[in-house]
Each structure stands twice: as structure tokens, then as C-alpha cells.
């Protein structure tokens, strides 16, 4: 197990996120998954989130990511979902 450090603590915070398409519609292809992954990584840079693993099926995406204790995962996920859904609808 790999531990992260800052000045006063040692931690390992990993989150497993499953994002499901509304009504389980089968719309995620390899191209869309790659696009969503790139947006996740780009948004993660701003919030200090590191992508560990990314897997997808046609109707959902599994994401394993790690972050620091200072990050509120809900804020990051809201930012990511709003950016990615808005841009995917345009494509």
C-alpha cells in the first residue's frame, strides 16, 4: 500500500466512483470513454485528484481515484459531471 505524506500526516485516500447513465442507456463507446477520461484527468489537475483506474461498460463508468484530505470529493465530482455532461451533449 502506497502512503502519501504532507507536513503533519500520512494518508491514503482512495475513492471508487460509479457513474451511471440515466435510464441505463447504452451510449458509452470507447471514444466517448476516452473523452470522459481526458476530461476527468484535466479537471483532476485543478482539484489535486489523481486518476488510479478507469473502466467502462456501455451504460456506466467505474473510476478509482485518490486525493488529499483537503479536497472535498463532492465538489470535485460536481465540477467534473457538469463539465463532462455539457461537453458530451455538444458532441
Amino acid at each position: 500500500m502506497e502512503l502519501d505524506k504532507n507536513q503533519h500526516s500520512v494518508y491514503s485516500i482512495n475513492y471508487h466512483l460509479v457513474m451511471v447513465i440515466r435510464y441505463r442507456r447504452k451510449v458509452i463507446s470507447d471514444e466517448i470513454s476516452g473523452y470522459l477520461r481526458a476530461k476527468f484527468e484535466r479537471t483532476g489537475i485543478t482539484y489535486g485528484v489523481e486518476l488510479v483506474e478507469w473502466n467502462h461498460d456501455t451504460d456506466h463508468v467505474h473510476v478509482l481515484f485518490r486525493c488529499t484530505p483537503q479536497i472535498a470529493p463532492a465538489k470535485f465530482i460536481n465540477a467534473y459531471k457538469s463539465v463532462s455532461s455539457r461537453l458530451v451533449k455538444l458532441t
Side-chain angles (χ1 to χ4, degrees):
M1 177 200 282
E2 183 179 332
L3 299 175
D4 296 318
K5 302 175 192 175
N6 62 18
Q7 278 186 322
H8 301 287
S9 61
V10 176
Y11 58 89
S12 177
I13 302 174
N14 294 301
Y15 292 99
H16 178 217
L17 174 66
V18 179
M19 294 180 283
V20 179
I21 301 297
R22 184 177 287 185
Y23 308 119
R24 289 281 193 167
R25 291 189 177 134
K26 311 234 182 273
V27 296
I28 300 176
S29 63
D30 289 337
E31 180 182 354
I32 291 175
S33 176
Y35 179 79
L36 293 172
R37 181 179 179 153
K39 289 299 174 189
F40 189 92
E41 290 172 339
R42 185 172 297 139
T43 307
I45 291 170
T46 306
Y47 284 85
V49 171
E50 176 189 351
L51 178 64
V52 176
E53 190 173 334
W54 180 279
N55 291 314
H56 77 280
D57 200 1
T58 57
D59 61 353
H60 66 278
V61 174
H62 286 266
V63 183
L64 182 64
F65 66 95
R66 54 190 306 153
C67 63
T68 64
Q70 293 82 18
I71 302 301
K75 287 185 179 182
F76 165 70
I77 292 168
N78 284 337
Y80 169 71
K81 285 175 68 175
S82 66
V83 167
S84 64
S85 68
R86 188 173 45 231
L87 294 173
V88 167
K89 288 177 186 175
L90 294 174
T91 58

